[in-house]
mmCIF file of all heavy atoms in Angstrom:
data_model
loop_
_atom_site.group_PDB
_atom_site.id
_atom_site.type_symbol
_atom_site.label_atom_id
_atom_site.label_comp_id
_atom_site.label_asym_id
_atom_site.label_seq_id
_atom_site.Cartn_x
_atom_site.Cartn_y
_atom_site.Cartn_z
ATOM 1 N N LEU A 216 71.179 109.625 73.930
ATOM 2 C CA LEU A 216 72.328 110.290 74.544
ATOM 3 C C LEU A 216 72.550 111.668 73.942
ATOM 4 O O LEU A 216 72.887 112.625 74.651
ATOM 5 C CB LEU A 216 73.575 109.425 74.371
ATOM 6 C CG LEU A 216 73.623 108.148 75.210
ATOM 7 C CD1 LEU A 216 74.816 107.284 74.807
ATOM 8 C CD2 LEU A 216 73.705 108.475 76.696
ATOM 9 N N PHE A 217 72.354 111.797 72.642
ATOM 10 C CA PHE A 217 72.505 113.100 71.989
ATOM 11 C C PHE A 217 71.467 114.095 72.501
ATOM 12 O O PHE A 217 71.766 115.263 72.747
ATOM 13 C CB PHE A 217 72.385 112.955 70.466
ATOM 14 C CG PHE A 217 73.698 112.726 69.781
ATOM 15 C CD1 PHE A 217 73.905 111.593 69.006
ATOM 16 C CD2 PHE A 217 74.731 113.633 69.909
ATOM 17 C CE1 PHE A 217 75.111 111.376 68.367
ATOM 18 C CE2 PHE A 217 75.953 113.424 69.276
ATOM 19 C CZ PHE A 217 76.140 112.296 68.497
ATOM 20 N N VAL A 218 70.227 113.643 72.644
ATOM 21 C CA VAL A 218 69.169 114.525 73.147
ATOM 22 C C VAL A 218 69.477 114.967 74.572
ATOM 23 O O VAL A 218 69.317 116.143 74.918
ATOM 24 C CB VAL A 218 67.799 113.802 73.078
ATOM 25 C CG1 VAL A 218 66.734 114.600 73.828
ATOM 26 C CG2 VAL A 218 67.378 113.594 71.634
ATOM 27 N N ARG A 219 69.939 114.035 75.380
ATOM 28 C CA ARG A 219 70.292 114.362 76.759
ATOM 29 C C ARG A 219 71.400 115.401 76.798
ATOM 30 O O ARG A 219 71.340 116.375 77.561
ATOM 31 C CB ARG A 219 70.734 113.095 77.487
ATOM 32 C CG ARG A 219 71.337 113.298 78.873
ATOM 33 C CD ARG A 219 70.348 113.894 79.827
ATOM 34 N NE ARG A 219 70.901 113.988 81.184
ATOM 35 C CZ ARG A 219 70.363 114.703 82.162
ATOM 36 N NH1 ARG A 219 69.253 115.394 81.947
ATOM 37 N NH2 ARG A 219 70.930 114.743 83.353
ATOM 38 N N LEU A 220 72.415 115.225 75.962
ATOM 39 C CA LEU A 220 73.522 116.167 75.915
ATOM 40 C C LEU A 220 73.051 117.540 75.432
ATOM 41 O O LEU A 220 73.433 118.572 75.991
ATOM 42 C CB LEU A 220 74.621 115.636 74.990
ATOM 43 C CG LEU A 220 75.850 116.531 74.796
ATOM 44 C CD1 LEU A 220 76.523 116.812 76.139
ATOM 45 C CD2 LEU A 220 76.832 115.884 73.833
ATOM 46 N N ALA A 221 72.205 117.565 74.415
ATOM 47 C CA ALA A 221 71.695 118.837 73.894
ATOM 48 C C ALA A 221 70.886 119.577 74.957
ATOM 49 O O ALA A 221 70.983 120.801 75.094
ATOM 50 C CB ALA A 221 70.840 118.584 72.657
ATOM 51 N N GLN A 222 70.096 118.852 75.736
ATOM 52 C CA GLN A 222 69.311 119.485 76.798
ATOM 53 C C GLN A 222 70.216 120.145 77.823
ATOM 54 O O GLN A 222 69.947 121.262 78.276
ATOM 55 C CB GLN A 222 68.420 118.439 77.484
ATOM 56 C CG GLN A 222 67.259 117.965 76.626
ATOM 57 C CD GLN A 222 66.473 116.865 77.306
ATOM 58 O OE1 GLN A 222 66.971 116.183 78.200
ATOM 59 N NE2 GLN A 222 65.233 116.661 76.875
ATOM 60 N N LEU A 223 71.278 119.468 78.180
ATOM 61 C CA LEU A 223 72.185 120.006 79.193
ATOM 62 C C LEU A 223 72.960 121.214 78.672
ATOM 63 O O LEU A 223 73.288 122.124 79.431
ATOM 64 C CB LEU A 223 73.165 118.915 79.643
ATOM 65 C CG LEU A 223 72.550 117.776 80.460
ATOM 66 C CD1 LEU A 223 73.568 116.670 80.683
ATOM 67 C CD2 LEU A 223 72.031 118.287 81.794
ATOM 68 N N ILE A 224 73.261 121.223 77.359
ATOM 69 C CA ILE A 224 74.024 122.333 76.792
ATOM 70 C C ILE A 224 73.171 123.591 76.635
ATOM 71 O O ILE A 224 73.596 124.699 76.971
ATOM 72 C CB ILE A 224 74.628 121.927 75.434
ATOM 73 C CG1 ILE A 224 75.717 120.874 75.645
ATOM 74 C CG2 ILE A 224 75.208 123.143 74.715
ATOM 75 C CD1 ILE A 224 76.300 120.333 74.361
ATOM 76 N N PHE A 225 71.934 123.409 76.159
ATOM 77 C CA PHE A 225 71.129 124.568 75.783
ATOM 78 C C PHE A 225 70.155 125.051 76.859
ATOM 79 O O PHE A 225 69.683 126.173 76.791
ATOM 80 C CB PHE A 225 70.356 124.265 74.489
ATOM 81 C CG PHE A 225 71.247 124.070 73.307
ATOM 82 C CD1 PHE A 225 71.429 122.816 72.755
ATOM 83 C CD2 PHE A 225 71.941 125.143 72.751
ATOM 84 C CE1 PHE A 225 72.251 122.631 71.661
ATOM 85 C CE2 PHE A 225 72.779 124.954 71.661
ATOM 86 C CZ PHE A 225 72.935 123.702 71.118
ATOM 87 N N ARG A 226 69.859 124.203 77.852
ATOM 88 C CA ARG A 226 68.966 124.687 78.890
ATOM 89 C C ARG A 226 69.746 125.541 79.879
ATOM 90 O O ARG A 226 70.967 125.353 80.038
ATOM 91 C CB ARG A 226 68.299 123.520 79.611
ATOM 92 C CG ARG A 226 69.197 122.795 80.591
ATOM 93 C CD ARG A 226 68.496 121.611 81.214
ATOM 94 N NE ARG A 226 69.338 120.962 82.214
ATOM 95 C CZ ARG A 226 69.012 119.837 82.825
ATOM 96 N NH1 ARG A 226 67.891 119.219 82.530
ATOM 97 N NH2 ARG A 226 69.822 119.310 83.734
ATOM 98 N N PRO A 227 69.095 126.483 80.559
ATOM 99 C CA PRO A 227 69.804 127.339 81.527
ATOM 100 C C PRO A 227 70.436 126.518 82.638
ATOM 101 O O PRO A 227 69.868 125.531 83.108
ATOM 102 C CB PRO A 227 68.682 128.236 82.070
ATOM 103 C CG PRO A 227 67.615 128.200 81.030
ATOM 104 C CD PRO A 227 67.685 126.829 80.429
ATOM 105 N N ALA A 228 71.632 126.920 83.033
ATOM 106 C CA ALA A 228 72.337 126.223 84.115
ATOM 107 C C ALA A 228 71.599 126.432 85.432
ATOM 108 O O ALA A 228 71.029 127.495 85.684
ATOM 109 C CB ALA A 228 73.758 126.743 84.227
ATOM 110 N N LYS A 229 71.594 125.402 86.261
ATOM 111 C CA LYS A 229 70.930 125.482 87.557
ATOM 112 C C LYS A 229 71.958 125.314 88.672
ATOM 113 O O LYS A 229 73.047 124.783 88.461
ATOM 114 C CB LYS A 229 69.838 124.416 87.676
ATOM 115 C CG LYS A 229 68.688 124.607 86.694
ATOM 116 C CD LYS A 229 67.581 123.603 86.933
ATOM 117 C CE LYS A 229 66.414 123.829 85.975
ATOM 118 N NZ LYS A 229 65.305 122.886 86.222
ATOM 119 N N VAL A 230 71.581 125.793 89.849
ATOM 120 C CA VAL A 230 72.463 125.676 91.008
ATOM 121 C C VAL A 230 71.895 124.623 91.951
ATOM 122 O O VAL A 230 70.690 124.382 91.985
ATOM 123 C CB VAL A 230 72.604 127.022 91.750
ATOM 124 C CG1 VAL A 230 73.294 128.039 90.872
ATOM 125 C CG2 VAL A 230 71.241 127.535 92.199
ATOM 126 N N HIS A 231 72.783 124.005 92.697
ATOM 127 C CA HIS A 231 72.364 122.997 93.677
ATOM 128 C C HIS A 231 72.069 123.705 94.994
ATOM 129 O O HIS A 231 72.974 124.137 95.700
ATOM 130 C CB HIS A 231 73.463 121.953 93.862
ATOM 131 C CG HIS A 231 73.068 120.852 94.799
ATOM 132 N ND1 HIS A 231 72.304 119.782 94.392
ATOM 133 C CD2 HIS A 231 73.321 120.655 96.117
ATOM 134 C CE1 HIS A 231 72.112 118.974 95.424
ATOM 135 N NE2 HIS A 231 72.717 119.483 96.481
ATOM 136 N N PHE A 232 70.789 123.829 95.305
ATOM 137 C CA PHE A 232 70.364 124.475 96.543
ATOM 138 C C PHE A 232 69.056 123.826 96.986
ATOM 139 O O PHE A 232 67.984 124.188 96.510
ATOM 140 C CB PHE A 232 70.173 125.981 96.344
ATOM 141 C CG PHE A 232 69.818 126.721 97.608
ATOM 142 C CD1 PHE A 232 70.816 127.106 98.491
ATOM 143 C CD2 PHE A 232 68.499 127.019 97.912
ATOM 144 C CE1 PHE A 232 70.493 127.783 99.671
ATOM 145 C CE2 PHE A 232 68.162 127.686 99.082
ATOM 146 C CZ PHE A 232 69.160 128.075 99.960
ATOM 147 N N PRO A 233 69.116 122.826 97.873
ATOM 148 C CA PRO A 233 67.905 122.118 98.295
ATOM 149 C C PRO A 233 66.904 123.055 98.968
ATOM 150 O O PRO A 233 67.268 123.856 99.830
ATOM 151 C CB PRO A 233 68.439 121.069 99.285
ATOM 152 C CG PRO A 233 69.882 120.917 98.949
ATOM 153 C CD PRO A 233 70.326 122.275 98.488
ATOM 154 N N CYS A 234 65.654 122.958 98.538
ATOM 155 C CA CYS A 234 64.598 123.736 99.180
ATOM 156 C C CYS A 234 64.406 123.225 100.598
ATOM 157 O O CYS A 234 64.231 122.019 100.813
ATOM 158 C CB CYS A 234 63.297 123.599 98.386
ATOM 159 S SG CYS A 234 61.861 124.350 99.186
ATOM 160 N N PRO A 235 64.416 124.100 101.610
ATOM 161 C CA PRO A 235 64.268 123.650 103.001
ATOM 162 C C PRO A 235 62.895 123.071 103.315
ATOM 163 O O PRO A 235 62.732 122.401 104.340
ATOM 164 C CB PRO A 235 64.522 124.938 103.816
ATOM 165 C CG PRO A 235 64.247 126.048 102.872
ATOM 166 C CD PRO A 235 64.614 125.543 101.514
ATOM 167 N N GLN A 236 61.915 123.290 102.424
ATOM 168 C CA GLN A 236 60.567 122.795 102.709
ATOM 169 C C GLN A 236 60.250 121.497 101.981
ATOM 170 O O GLN A 236 59.807 120.524 102.596
ATOM 171 C CB GLN A 236 59.533 123.862 102.335
ATOM 172 C CG GLN A 236 58.088 123.453 102.641
ATOM 173 C CD GLN A 236 57.141 124.618 102.638
ATOM 174 O OE1 GLN A 236 57.308 125.557 103.419
ATOM 175 N NE2 GLN A 236 56.143 124.581 101.759
ATOM 176 N N CYS A 237 60.500 121.460 100.649
ATOM 177 C CA CYS A 237 60.146 120.257 99.885
ATOM 178 C C CYS A 237 61.363 119.443 99.457
ATOM 179 O O CYS A 237 61.225 118.303 99.033
ATOM 180 C CB CYS A 237 59.310 120.617 98.662
ATOM 181 S SG CYS A 237 60.239 121.468 97.352
#
Side-chain angles (χ1 to χ4, degrees):
L216 289 172
F217 269 122
V218 170
R219 171 63 175 166
L220 178 59
Q222 288 176 339
L223 291 172
I224 291 176
F225 295 108
R226 76 183 183 186
K229 295 185 178 182
V230 295
H231 183 82
F232 184 83
C234 173
Q236 182 164 300
C237 71

